[in-house]
Amino acid sequence: MITLFIDTSSSDVSIAIMKDKKILSNITKSIPNKHSIYTVSFIEQMIKEANLTVNDIEKIMVVTGPGSFTGVRIGVTIAKVYAYLKNLSIISISSLKMMSISCEHKYCLALIDAHHDNYYLGLYDENNQEIMKEQFNTKEKVLELIEKYQPRIVSNENIEIGKYKIKKQSLDISKIITYYQKEEPLNPHLVVPNYLKLPQALEEKHD
């Protein structure tokens, strides 16, 4: 099975091609606000480096959020276009859970800074099962969970919460793809961004 992995949920863009359990090609680059310019060319580059053509791709995995509103939307849109053109299904990946998969600890608290002392968070056990539903919450809630579970804390960037300094988590793309292989693929029409919380301007528009 040849899988195309797409992640544009943060300032980084990560693209990988995996055949069975072997990564054939991958790239991760920090390109803030330039995802729409480079993502497609990165995909084409990785397919070429793997000595494949787009017709060889059998499955698409895309990170659907939460994270950068624009970044998530770009990645999901690109994945859906490829899927439509090649009649493929898509597996949706959580940006929070994939950090837990790369974490390896009894408890893992995955955080994404949503600004103004708010965070997207997911708390998982050693089997990457949710202890609580992924959510948008406050700094106070994060500190409460840290006190209760004493987890390893991971994030998609370097952040500081009170006395805790969290370094950016490196992603184990091979483990992430392998883990999600067991998930049920979706019709591209059913794949949507998981923002957890809309930007303030859009929330006001919907009110």
Side-chain angles (χ1 to χ4, degrees):
M1 178 67 69
I2 298 175
T3 302
L4 167 63
F5 170 88
I6 303 170
D7 176 23
T8 58
S9 63
S10 68
S11 59
D12 290 350
V13 168
S14 292
I15 307 296
I17 306 291
M18 186 168 175
K19 182 177 182 180
D20 300 323
K21 295 186 177 182
K22 180 181 179 182
I23 296 288
L24 301 181
S25 60
N26 69 289
I27 186 172
T28 297
K29 284 196 175 183
S30 180
I31 49 171
N33 305 317
K34 295 183 179 179
H35 298 56
S36 61
I37 300 173
Y38 292 104
T39 302
V40 171
S41 63
F42 285 167
I43 292 172
E44 293 171 345
Q45 178 185 340
M46 291 305 98
I47 291 174
K48 184 176 180 180
E49 286 188 9
N51 293 316
L52 301 171
T53 71
V54 69
N55 293 324
D56 294 314
I57 302 299
E58 299 170 273
K59 185 181 292 185
I60 297 174
M61 294 185 179
V62 63
V63 179
T64 54
S68 161
F69 178 82
T70 302
V72 168
R73 186 173 55 186
I74 289 169
V76 169
T77 299
I78 291 171
K80 292 175 78 165
V81 168
Y82 271 85
Y84 290 144
L85 292 175
K86 300 302 174 183
N87 194 28
L88 298 174
S89 56
I90 296 175
I91 290 178
S92 174
I93 294 178
S94 161
S95 56
L96 293 166
K97 191 167 189 175
M98 72 176 181
M99 288 191 281
S100 172
I101 294 168
S102 304
C103 171
E104 295 187 344
H105 199 262
K106 182 178 181 181
Y107 297 115
C108 182
L109 178 61
L111 301 175
I112 296 174
D113 189 356
H115 307 300
H116 309 298
D117 283 340
N118 295 307
Y119 298 86
Y120 302 113
L121 63 92
L123 182 64
Y124 310 89
D125 64 18
E126 65 268 32
N127 297 312
N128 301 304
Q129 299 302 305
E130 287 186 345
I131 294 175
M132 57 184 292
K133 189 175 178 63
E134 294 179 352
Q135 59 191 262
F136 172 88
N137 219 314
T138 63
K139 173 182 176 180
E140 288 71 28
K141 181 63 175 181
V142 171
L143 293 174
E144 175 188 318
L145 292 172
I146 293 173
E147 179 68 23
K148 181 176 180 180
Y149 290 95
Q150 298 296 304
R152 177 172 291 170
I153 312 166
V154 294
S155 180
N156 63 351
E157 59 183 324
N158 296 328
I159 60 175
E160 189 170 338
I161 305 176
K163 65 180 181 180
Y164 301 98
K165 294 182 179 180
I166 300 109
K167 291 185 177 180
K168 180 177 179 179
Q169 174 69 37
S170 296
L171 297 178
D172 189 329
I173 302 297
S174 179
K175 282 189 66 177
I176 293 166
I177 294 175
T178 299
Y179 177 90
Y180 273 95
Q181 290 287 6
K182 65 186 179 184
E183 296 294 313
E184 189 69 27
L186 299 172
N187 183 298
H189 291 286
L190 301 178
V191 178
V192 295
N194 176 24
Y195 298 123
L196 286 185
K197 182 182 184 298
L198 289 173
Q200 187 68 34
L202 286 182
E203 287 193 336
E204 292 171 355
K205 184 177 179 180
H206 289 310
D207 286 344

